[in-house]
Amino acid sequence: MAASGKQNLQLDWGTIALYGTLVLFGWLSIYSAAFNPLLPSPFTFSEEYGKQLVWIGACVFLIVVILYLDAEVFNKLAVYIYFFFVLLLMLVLVIGKEVNGAKAWFGIGDFGIQPSEFSKIGVGLFLSKFISSSGMQLKNLRTRIQAFAIIGLPAFLILLQPDVGSLLTFLAFILVMYREGMSGNVLIAGFASVVIGTLSIVIGAGRTTYPYFGELSSIWTFIISLFGLSILALIFVRNFVVPRSRRMLYSVVVISMVLASSLAFSINYIVDNVLEKHHKERIYVMLSLPVERQDATYNSEMAKITVGSGGFIGRGFHQGPMTQNNYVPEQWTDFIFSAVAEEWGFLGSVTVILMFFTLIYRLVLLAERQRSQFSRVYGYCVAAIIFMHLLINIGMVLGLAPIIGIPLPFFSYGGSSLMAFTILLFIMIRLDAERLSVFR
Amino acid sequence: MNNDNRRYTFLFIVGTICVIYIVRLFALQVATSEWKNKGSRLTEREVVVYPSRGNIFDRNGKVLVTNQTVYDLMVLPKEVLPFDTLEFCKLVNLPYEELKEILKKSTTYPNVKYKPSPVIKQMLPEEYALFAERLYKFPGFFVQARTLRTYPESLGALLLGDVGEVNKEILEKHPDYRKGDYIGLNGIEKSYEKELRGKRGIKYVYRDNLGVEHSVANGQLDSAAQEGVDLYATIDAELQKYGEQLMQNKRGCIVAIEPSTGEILALVSAPTFDPNLLVGRARGQNFSALARDPLKPLFNRATQAQYRPGSIFKLAQSLTALQLGSITKDTRIACNRGLIGCHGAHSMDDLEMAIVHSCNPYFRGVLQRVVEANRDPNNRAKDAAIGLSIWNEQIRKLGFGSNLGSDLPGMKKGNVPSAEYYNKKYGVEAWNFSTIYSIAIGEGEMLINPVQMCNLVCIIANRGFYVPPHTVRQIGRGGSARSEYVTRVDVGVKPEYFETVVNAMEKVVGPGGTANSIKLSDIVICGKTGTVQNEPREDHSVFVCFAPKENPKIALAVYVEYAGFGGTWAAPISSLMIEKYLKGGTTNKGREELIMNAKILN
């Protein structure tokens, strides 16, 4: 079957072309952002652009290997792959190299490998296998708990590093589970939590003088307002809702009030007392709240200036004054989108965003046309992970998300990220290529 | 339950985020240029192109003030990489602690790390040469060339003036100056600042990825620096230098003016100093040393000193009394030494001989005729007040009590006592002629400065007019002086009245005159000695003169402080100056040597 499948490989060339374009555009941006005038050759392997070429070469090799593998392999080995990366995540906590305060790297000579990037492949495969195994229903609490455990184990290990950015990308799997039948309330609750959390930080940053209690954090104003709102809601329910629904809605209002208040209070507490100072400052910078150190706003400010510097048509390749003068520190990694925005302008930036949207759209399309649920779930995993990276990374560059160091897929410099995304994507392409030979 | 529709929810979420980001991109990149402008401010540097200040030449084209290039070593903190501080400090001769302090200051408000700050200002070319070839080792450091003043002849420090960086006060008053600009602080540098300054140019550049600077917008925004205008001074460098040599180790001043044009030929204030001391990095240190010097070399005695004129004022009194009709040239007044002291043997001089003998009682009598003319027969005090006002008005026409409209900055006006002045001093009608008669002989409350004194001689030499004394005869090569320095000012005294005074002055420098010793065989000098009382210290020695008698070429006022009788020091200095100017030098080497070596500084 494998042999026949290979003969009938129906590669989705559109996705492959999109992948190639993104990687090429990404490499050009790295070449521009990390350019060393003394070593202008793209094959300078001491510079980021040279190294990235090596990684791209490695990716070509990986692609060939993946396409030659039997599609069944991924399903069969999903659990082993998952635990292999879990093992690596444990190992990295012991023998890993600490970079920027996180023990996230295996150092091999000059190169570093970041297992957290690869672990998403393992989670994606295992989660797909788990959900697609017969009898699994995500409506079922037990199944949900098991699914969360699959996601939670590597996530917890990453939290220990600690690497908040990578941790956040694991939220992608919640989107996948939503597609596979988990209640949509999760998304609504998630959205509500983001709104309440943001408000509680913004309001909690101030101080208010209360009668009898003196000066306290303004978070209490927020909690009192929530309380007032729920009383209004209760009155509304009592007067305008048919009696048989009242009882249920009363409890919904009260529970929401309690949950919202405790969320607001605990987020405020975490920001003030648990988070490290620089994390707190990054959140404050994003929300345009005043910070003590001017340095804290530097990266965010420079990124915005660099983006703005591009204008409508951009400054041209190698012509961006902010990019060429390295105003954004380590621009070729997490801030690479700012280089795109400056040198290719609004047109180029929108093109990149649309390319990503097309890729995600294409992946959803691929996923939906799969006959096997395994392939479909996996397709959503790929799409959702790419989306989460896009959401956080570009949001950060544009000053809409706090500064969280995660790479922009296919663009940011870094072997682990590029290889992990390549493997992630091409497994899907490989699965898709054989969709017609798979029987339900 | 079929969840197939959830794909649309998923795509909707992705699509919404993409739209939000595209809108945000639009806001940052297209809707406003705020962020773009912020970027321009970071990456584009405004390079100030300093114009070179105008040169100053003497009347014969000799360079008095010109520019030398110096280098400001600057640091752009954001580009600094770790460097060998030991080598750096050694190369630029800077203690490590100081370097650390400077670097720290360069990144603290109001300095920011992407704007250059100075590390060492005004390195001389030879200092910079040592450093230049190693500069590449210190990224973030660069030099900015500037010009400094230099004075090849080392003369006329106070006359030419100095320049300094603008301070906060000047910046507030003159918005067109910027931090780091130079401005003339006194002398010609100050009074002709507008011409000398030139126009600052601005070049906008940005650095590309190779570190090469490119002009922004093809240089369309740039403005070229406009060099300052050259000035041709009225000064004769040779004469000025000679005057400074004659006055060395003495206190006092020499003012020499060409009478027909009002051009100042020399303006010596002694003691003087090398103007090059007030240039460059040692400026501050040298300046405070000069400021502390008890001999006050920074005090311009020629323009800022206000002396009692002494006997030479008798020339002005004569002209005033003649013009007012109070006396004629034949008026004789007894030398009544009971009223006021006198010297020499004479008893009943006419005006000419009274000037020659410098007869004090005579001029007491002259002023009495002017002031006490029975204009109010019943009240002697009122009479004096009326008379003094008439006298005051007439004598002011000779330039006293004003700065003469000169271009010398900081000229003192002196004091010509008026009725109001005495009313204030003694009370209304509480004074009369007997109270004030000492002004008759240039003592008492009368104060004039040496330029006014020399200007009086010019008036006499010109027989009735003066041109405001000035220091610049051509603004720009082939240009002219400022318009106010080409018109004559008539003093309202009839030309014939001058003949008596001129003849008397000729006789002063002749047999029996007080300055007979300086008589020259080939040039007729007309002069007047003065000795200004200075109890309890030695008198000031004063001499004014012009030469030659017909078609005068030079007028002089010489003041030597605490030097005694005018004929002893001031007169010989004058004659040496005249010889220098008219003949290129003196044959009387003995006198020259004696004067130059004399030390009158008690």
Side-chain angles (χ1 to χ4, degrees):
Chain A
M1 193 180 92
S4 69
K6 239 165 256 169
Q7 278 158 12
N8 301 324
L9 271 192
Q10 301 200 338
L11 294 175
D12 188 56
W13 286 107
T15 309
I16 295 174
L18 213 47
Y19 165 82
T21 315
L22 287 169
V23 170
L24 178 70
F25 204 171
W27 181 82
L28 284 175
S29 306
I30 294 168
Y31 183 56
S32 191
F35 188 70
N36 178 347
L38 301 176
L39 301 164
S41 161
F43 302 102
T44 313
F45 297 113
S46 57
E47 300 291 326
E48 282 76 11
Y49 36 94
K51 287 183 191 166
Q52 188 76 353
L53 275 184
V54 175
W55 298 126
I56 292 173
C59 284
V60 172
F61 173 73
L62 286 170
I63 290 167
V64 172
V65 170
I66 290 167
L67 292 183
Y68 266 88
L69 281 176
D70 197 309
E72 279 297 295
V73 167
F74 303 111
N75 193 337
K76 280 180 185 153
L77 293 182
V79 183
Y80 301 102
I81 295 172
Y82 173 82
F83 280 107
F84 174 69
F85 286 119
V86 167
L87 200 70
L88 285 187
L89 283 176
M90 289 176 174
L91 211 58
V92 84
L93 292 173
V94 186
I95 60 164
K97 198 167 61 172
E98 197 171 309
V99 178
N100 294 333
K103 249 186 165 179
W105 297 81
F106 288 117
I108 303 164
D110 252 3
F111 294 112
I113 293 286
Q114 207 178 356
S116 54
E117 293 291 346
F118 294 97
S119 65
K120 290 164 202 163
I121 304 167
V123 177
L125 288 170
F126 190 17
L127 191 67
S128 307
K129 189 178 172 93
F130 175 74
I131 292 174
S132 62
S133 36
S134 57
M136 289 303 164
Q137 280 293 324
L138 281 170
K139 288 207 169 299
N140 192 327
L141 180 67
R142 197 184 143 81
T143 314
R144 274 213 303 271
I145 291 174
Q146 284 170 334
F148 274 116
I150 292 170
I151 304 165
L153 177 61
F156 177 70
L157 291 170
I158 289 169
L159 179 66
L160 291 181
Q161 291 179 356
D163 180 355
V164 182
S166 296
L167 184 66
L168 280 176
T169 60
F170 275 65
L171 291 174
F173 296 112
I174 292 177
L175 279 174
V176 177
M177 284 161 70
Y178 164 73
R179 165 63 188 89
E180 291 306 318
M182 196 172 67
S183 163
N185 291 342
V186 174
L187 297 185
I188 295 167
F191 182 70
S193 314
V194 170
V195 172
I196 290 171
T198 310
L199 282 174
S200 68
I201 295 169
V202 172
I203 297 172
R207 295 191 75 78
T208 309
T209 308
Y210 298 94
Y212 306 112
F213 293 98
E215 197 189 270
L216 291 172
S217 164
S218 304
I219 189 69
W220 293 105
T221 307
F222 185 55
I223 288 172
I224 292 165
S225 314
L226 280 175
F227 189 70
L229 268 178
S230 43
I231 288 179
L232 281 179
L234 288 175
I235 294 170
F236 181 85
V237 169
R238 202 185 64 147
N239 293 337
F240 299 101
V241 176
V242 284
R244 63 186 150 89
S245 302
R246 277 187 202 157
R247 223 185 125 80
M248 200 264 283
L249 283 174
Y250 280 147
S251 46
V252 166
V253 169
V254 171
I255 291 170
S256 311
M257 149 70 196
V258 171
L259 284 177
S261 306
S262 39
L263 180 73
F265 190 76
S266 47
I267 283 185
N268 191 61
Y269 181 82
I270 288 169
V271 167
D272 272 355
N273 302 305
V274 181
L275 285 190
E276 283 180 43
K277 202 174 172 209
H278 70 277
H279 281 129
K280 180 179 169 179
E281 278 173 340
R282 285 173 179 185
I283 294 170
Y284 272 36
V285 167
M286 173 196 65
L287 297 172
S288 306
L289 295 170
V291 286
E292 281 168 36
R293 288 184 311 127
Q294 281 300 299
D295 291 8
T297 62
Y298 181 81
N299 283 16
S300 175
E301 187 81 358
M302 288 304 143
K304 278 188 274 185
I305 290 173
T306 307
V307 170
S309 165
F312 188 70
I313 56 163
R315 299 295 187 105
F317 181 56
H318 254 308
Q319 302 292 324
M322 296 290 293
T323 299
Q324 300 308 326
N325 286 301
N326 303 330
Y327 279 89
V328 183
E330 304 236 329
Q331 196 181 10
W332 47 90
T333 63
D334 300 338
F335 279 99
I336 191 70
F337 187 70
S338 64
V340 176
E342 183 179 36
E343 302 203 330
W344 304 97
F346 179 69
L347 291 180
S349 319
V350 170
T351 305
V352 169
I353 288 180
L354 289 182
M355 281 202 294
F356 273 108
F357 179 78
T358 312
L359 180 67
I360 293 168
Y361 181 79
R362 187 80 202 156
L363 282 166
V364 169
L365 227 62
L366 293 191
E368 291 291 346
R369 76 184 184 191
Q370 301 304 312
R371 291 177 184 174
S372 103
Q373 198 190 5
F374 173 78
S375 304
R376 184 181 74 209
V377 178
Y378 183 76
Y380 268 99
C381 285
V382 179
I385 291 169
I386 291 175
F387 171 60
M388 282 311 289
H389 276 261
L390 187 75
L391 173 74
I392 298 173
N393 182 286
I394 295 187
M396 165 186 84
V397 172
L398 300 182
L400 295 174
I403 295 181
I404 295 167
I406 66 164
L408 183 62
F410 316 116
F411 266 76
S412 289
Y413 166 76
S416 302
S417 152
L418 183 63
M419 288 195 292
F421 276 110
T422 303
I423 296 169
L424 201 62
L425 181 68
F426 275 86
I427 288 178
M428 184 57 207
I429 289 174
R430 181 70 190 86
L431 290 173
D432 175 68
E434 235 171 70
R435 68 183 187 278
L436 295 175
S437 6
V438 175
F439 298 97
R440 268 187 243 226
Chain B
M1 184 179 141
N2 193 327
N3 297 312
D4 282 357
N5 284 333
R6 290 195 170 182
R7 76 178 84 167
Y8 301 114
T9 317
F10 182 87
L11 286 172
F12 175 74
I13 295 171
V14 177
T16 308
I17 295 296
C18 289
V19 169
I20 291 174
Y21 286 179
I22 288 170
V23 169
R24 173 69 168 176
L25 274 168
F26 188 83
L28 288 175
Q29 297 189 294
V30 186
T32 158
S33 46
E34 179 197 344
W35 296 99
K36 194 171 189 168
N37 293 344
K38 275 190 187 176
S40 303
R41 282 202 291 277
L42 287 186
T43 52
E44 291 167 15
R45 267 200 312 136
E46 227 186 72
V47 178
V48 177
V49 186
Y50 289 103
S52 57
R53 229 176 140 75
N55 300 304
I56 304 178
F57 300 93
D58 90 332
R59 63 189 295 115
N60 300 315
K62 201 174 244 182
V63 180
L64 293 179
V65 189
T66 183
N67 302 304
Q68 59 173 335
T69 305
V70 291
Y71 301 88
D72 286 352
L73 177 60
M74 313 288 286
V75 61
L76 188 57
K78 83 170 177 69
E79 287 180 3
V80 173
L81 299 176
F83 61 97
D84 187 345
T85 44
L86 194 72
E87 187 186 3
F88 184 89
C89 291
K90 225 160 130 190
L91 278 170
V92 299
N93 198 15
L94 191 74
Y96 175 66
E97 290 304 315
E98 244 173 83
L99 176 70
K100 233 170 68 179
E101 196 58 35
I102 289 166
L103 290 180
K104 202 175 141 202
K105 240 176 95 185
S106 71
T107 56
T108 38
Y109 188 83
N111 299 311
V112 281
K113 63 181 174 182
Y114 46 81
K115 289 226 173 106
S117 306
V119 179
I120 296 174
K121 285 189 173 183
Q122 303 171 348
M123 293 170 83
L124 295 174
E126 55 268 29
E127 292 173 312
Y128 171 54
L130 283 175
F131 184 63
E133 58 183 20
R134 307 272 167 81
L135 190 59
Y136 76 93
K137 283 186 170 179
F138 308 105
F141 290 88
F142 65 98
V143 288
Q144 206 168 334
R146 293 203 66 171
T147 56
L148 276 190
R149 292 309 239 180
T150 181
Y151 306 82
E153 301 287 327
S154 295
L155 53 75
L158 294 175
L159 167 74
L160 297 168
D162 56 332
V163 296
E165 244 177 68
V166 288
N167 59 23
K168 231 169 133 189
E169 250 167 73
I170 298 171
L171 282 172
E172 273 163 22
K173 261 192 269 172
H174 305 277
D176 53 324
Y177 284 83
R178 286 211 212 154
K179 206 175 156 200
D181 280 359
Y182 287 133
I183 188 169
L185 295 176
N186 48 54
I188 294 178
E189 297 275 19
K190 183 177 184 181
S191 42
Y192 289 85
E193 167 68 14
K194 217 175 74 200
E195 288 84 355
L196 289 169
R197 183 185 172 200
K199 233 182 104 190
R200 194 195 316 102
I202 290 173
K203 219 166 70 182
Y204 296 92
V205 296
Y206 80 92
R207 290 174 148 201
D208 69 5
N209 49 316
L210 297 166
V212 180
E213 291 189 339
H214 291 280
S215 61
V216 173
N218 289 328
Q220 285 167 348
L221 308 169
D222 299 2
S223 56
Q226 224 169 59
E227 288 190 3
V229 177
D230 288 348
L231 298 181
Y232 290 79
T234 57
I235 306 302
D236 184 313
E238 289 291 313
L239 188 67
Q240 175 77 20
K241 185 175 243 166
Y242 190 62
E244 288 182 8
Q245 284 167 350
L246 293 174
M247 288 300 285
Q248 67 196 5
N249 293 320
K250 298 163 197 70
R251 259 172 295 188
C253 60
I254 302 174
V255 182
I257 300 177
E258 185 177 68
S260 58
T261 60
E263 292 177 357
I264 296 174
L265 302 170
L267 195 84
V268 178
S269 173
T272 186
F273 57 92
D274 183 346
N276 290 306
L277 286 176
L278 294 187
V279 169
R281 262 182 288 156
R283 177 185 158 86
Q285 201 185 338
N286 291 338
F287 185 87
S288 48
L290 288 169
R292 280 196 307 268
D293 190 329
L295 297 175
K296 298 195 172 155
L298 290 174
F299 179 65
N300 191 340
R301 288 169 164 84
T303 59
Q304 294 172 303
Q306 304 183 91
Y307 298 107
R308 277 176 289 158
S311 299
I312 54 167
F313 195 58
K314 289 166 185 164
L315 303 171
Q317 294 287 36
S318 309
L319 294 169
T320 305
L322 286 169
Q323 178 65 26
L324 290 174
S326 306
I327 56 165
T328 67
K329 65 184 172 66
D330 303 317
T331 304
R332 289 175 184 273
I333 298 171
C335 180
N336 183 347
R337 299 185 183 188
L339 295 168
I340 188 168
C342 203
H343 33 75
H346 57 271
S347 59
M348 198 67 180
D349 283 340
D350 63 0
L351 178 60
E352 188 179 309
M353 287 321 290
I355 294 171
V356 175
H357 294 140
S358 199
C359 178
N360 290 337
Y362 185 94
F363 282 96
R364 184 187 180 281
V366 169
L367 188 67
Q368 190 165 23
R369 279 158 209 237
V370 174
V371 172
E372 287 195 319
N374 245 8
R375 294 181 183 91
D376 189 334
N378 305 318
N379 188 330
R380 199 178 168 215
K382 268 191 185 167
D383 189 26
I386 298 166
L388 188 69
S389 297
I390 292 167
W391 170 83
N392 184 292
E393 191 188 333
Q394 183 61 36
I395 204 130
R396 276 177 180 274
K397 289 184 181 164
L398 300 175
F400 300 115
S402 91
N403 66 8
L404 301 170
S406 165
D407 61 7
L408 293 161
M411 260 268 281
K412 283 282 161 36
K413 291 180 178 175
N415 184 34
V416 185
S418 61
E420 294 76 39
Y421 176 86
Y422 286 119
N423 284 345
K424 216 184 234 171
K425 187 171 179 184
Y426 299 113
V428 180
E429 294 185 29
W431 56 275
N432 57 40
F433 175 73
S434 323
T435 328
I436 63 163
Y437 69 84
S438 56
I439 63 171
I441 56 164
E443 301 284 348
E445 296 84 359
M446 189 66 208
L447 287 178
I448 70 171
N449 84 36
V451 176
Q452 291 171 336
M453 219 180 288
C454 189
N455 190 55
L456 171 68
V457 184
C458 289
I459 293 167
I460 297 166
N462 291 333
R463 278 83 168 169
F465 72 88
Y466 70 92
V467 179
H470 56 279
T471 51
V472 172
R473 60 202 301 249
Q474 286 180 13
I475 297 172
R477 181 180 281 277
S480 56
R482 287 185 181 160
S483 57
E484 58 263 44
Y485 303 133
V486 290
T487 40
R488 297 173 169 189
V489 180
D490 192 275
V491 299
V493 176
K494 278 190 194 160
E496 66 248 38
Y497 296 146
F498 286 96
E499 283 321 304
T500 319
V501 176
V502 170
N503 290 337
M505 287 173 78
E506 185 185 355
K507 283 187 182 143
V508 169
V509 191
T514 47
N516 182 33
S517 63
I518 65 160
K519 190 173 165 62
L520 300 173
S521 55
D522 46 356
I523 302 166
V524 182
I525 301 175
C526 302
K528 178 75 189 83
T529 56
T531 307
V532 180
Q533 287 162 21
N534 233 345
E535 297 292 345
R537 301 182 69 173
E538 198 76 36
D539 298 339
H540 293 327
S541 171
V542 190
F543 189 72
V544 296
C545 63
F546 65 88
K549 183 183 176 192
E550 300 307 327
N551 205 4
K553 288 278 174 253
I554 180 169
L556 277 154
V558 179
Y559 240 104
V560 187
E561 291 181 9
Y562 313 116
F565 172 57
T568 324
W569 296 106
I573 289 173
S574 303
S575 95
L576 288 169
M577 289 288 282
I578 288 168
E579 282 187 281
K580 181 75 182 175
Y581 184 62
L582 297 179
K583 302 194 297 189
T586 183
T587 43
N588 196 340
K589 293 292 172 196
R591 172 186 285 161
E592 189 177 273
E593 207 172 301
L594 180 79
I595 301 259
M596 281 191 188
N597 294 337
K599 199 169 170 178
I600 312 170
L601 287 173
N602 56 323

